[in-house]
């Protein structure tokens, strides 16, 4: 009887651990959108978290323009340039479309897509 209870306890603990690991892996799934030679943006699978990274020390800033499912729009950027820390933002509404841009002094000199936004079903 005692070993049966101990075995059940181990099975329950094991199942909880597997569930936790699978949940963490799912939460980390993401799509990365590169901007040739400038930087990248990453949007997690649920569209509730983004990161924007400047990957080159060239005096060009990298920023992501976004529109959420609820209609809210904004811009997120990498505040330290290519210093190694990416800019991040979390949302309560999913990201619906994006445009990744780079340029000097906030100018959108180079963008992907070049005009307009990239819809979520295109990532």
């Amino acid at each position: 009887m005692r070993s049966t209870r101990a075995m059940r306890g181990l099975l329950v603990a094991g199942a909880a651990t597997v569930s936790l690991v699978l949940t963490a892996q799912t939460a980390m799934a993401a799509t990365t959108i590169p901007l040739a030679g400038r930087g990248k943006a990453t949007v997690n699978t649920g569209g509730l978290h983004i990161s924007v990274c400047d990957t080159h020390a060239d005096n060009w800033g990298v920023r992501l323009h976004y529109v959420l499912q609820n209609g809210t729009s904004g811009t997120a950027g990498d505040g330290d340039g290519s210093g190694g820390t990416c800019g991040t933002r979390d949302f309560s509404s999913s990201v619906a479309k994006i445009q990744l841009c780079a340029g000097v002094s906030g100018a959108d000199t180079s963008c992907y897509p070049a005009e307009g936004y990239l819809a979520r079903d295109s990532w």
Side-chain angles (χ1 to χ4, degrees):
M1 182 77 155
R2 204 169 196 196
S3 64
T4 304
R5 283 186 184 165
M7 186 59 113
R8 283 185 189 152
L10 286 173
L11 289 173
V12 169
T17 301
V18 169
S19 176
L20 181 60
V21 169
L22 290 175
T23 301
Q25 287 176 346
T26 302
M28 292 190 300
T31 300
T32 299
I33 298 98
L35 184 59
R38 302 291 178 195
K40 63 185 178 180
T42 303
V43 183
N44 78 338
T45 301
L48 299 176
H49 177 82
I50 61 171
S51 67
V52 184
C53 302
D54 186 336
T55 57
H56 290 81
D58 57 7
N59 291 323
W60 284 47
V62 176
R63 64 209 135 268
L64 183 72
H65 303 291
Y66 59 84
V67 177
L68 305 179
Q69 293 286 352
N70 67 9
T72 302
S73 62
T75 302
D78 185 344
D80 74 343
S82 62
T85 303
C86 299
T88 63
R89 190 137 326 147
D90 293 303
F91 306 106
S92 57
S93 179
S94 296
V95 175
K97 54 188 178 178
I98 59 171
Q99 182 185 43
L100 182 59
C101 296
V104 178
S105 300
D108 289 340
T109 305
S110 174
C111 293
Y112 177 75
E115 302 219 1
Y117 287 89
L118 186 63
R120 183 172 178 170
D121 59 0
S122 301
W123 317 338

